[in-house]
């Protein structure tokens, strides 16, 4: 499920988690100008926009990796792979996890089968290994991620 501009993030986080085990939040930005720059940071920053992509749309996919997801995790992986298969070309997919902490695991502009395969490989590496489900961390990562994406790709 994709929400535009992150408006419904908190509500979606609480209601969708129990159903899917992962969440997708979306952000659509206008086409980039040549002057748009990726911010310099020692933390994660979005990758440069591929030349073949005119506009940037970004999804943050949050996966609950707490122990409580152990029995549901095989179906979560299948759903994530199905999601990756249907993502439109030029979509920036930010794969992140949350449990005790929230972490960015993989970032890909989906521009062909290779980028989809790399995302699926990262999905297969995920394990429900964290002792808690910390919704605050998930919310902070979502807000932080969208701010990073907006700063990187917004027209100047």
């Amino acid at each position: 499920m994709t929400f535009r501009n992150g408006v419904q993030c908190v509500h979606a986080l609480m209601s969708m988690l129990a159903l899917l085990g992962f969440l997708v939040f979306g952000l659509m930005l206008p086409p980039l100008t040549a002057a748009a720059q990726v911010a310099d940071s020692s933390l994660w920053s979005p990758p440069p926009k591929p030349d073949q992509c005119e506009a940037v749309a970004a999804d943050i996919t949050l996966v609950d990796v707490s122990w409580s997801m152990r029995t549901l995790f095989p179906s979560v992986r299948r759903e994530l792979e199905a999601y990756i298969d249907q993502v439109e070309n030029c979509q920036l997919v930010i794969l992140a996890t949350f449990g005790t902490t929230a972490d960015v695991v993989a970032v890909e502009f989906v521009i062909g089968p290779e980028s989809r395969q790399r995302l699926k490989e990262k999905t297969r590496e995920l394990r429900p290994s964290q002792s808690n489900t910390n919704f605050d961390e998930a919310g902070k990562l979502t807000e932080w991620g969208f701010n990073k994406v907006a700063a990187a790709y917004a027209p100047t």
Side-chain angles (χ1 to χ4, degrees), residues 10-83:
V10 174
H11 172 71
L13 186 63
M14 299 304 287
S15 62
M16 294 301 296
L17 180 65
L19 298 176
L20 299 177
F22 75 97
L23 309 165
V24 179
F25 302 106
L27 175 67
M28 181 67 91
L29 296 172
L32 292 171
T33 63
Q37 300 290 322
V38 174
D40 181 36
S41 172
S42 59
L43 296 174
W44 172 83
S45 289
K49 178 186 74 71
D51 291 336
Q52 65 265 42
C53 299
E54 188 173 311
V56 173
D59 283 344
I60 295 179
T61 306
L62 287 165
V63 182
D64 183 351
V65 292
S66 65
W67 292 339
S68 63
M69 295 298 295
R70 285 186 309 260
T71 58
L72 296 174
F73 222 72
S75 63
V76 168
R77 276 198 202 100
R78 283 191 301 275
E79 291 294 325
L80 276 170
E81 288 194 22
Y83 160 74

Side-chain angles (χ1 to χ4, degrees), residues 83-119:
Y83 160 74
I84 291 166
D85 284 335
Q86 63 87 30
V87 169
E88 293 183 26
N89 280 337
C90 289
Q91 186 89 0
L92 176 65
V93 175
I94 303 165
L95 179 62
T97 60
F98 74 101
T100 304
T101 63
D103 304 287
V104 174
V105 175
V107 179
E108 289 279 346
F109 269 103
V110 176
I111 53 173
E114 300 86 10
S115 53
R116 291 178 198 280
Q117 187 58 37
R118 285 189 296 271
L119 284 168

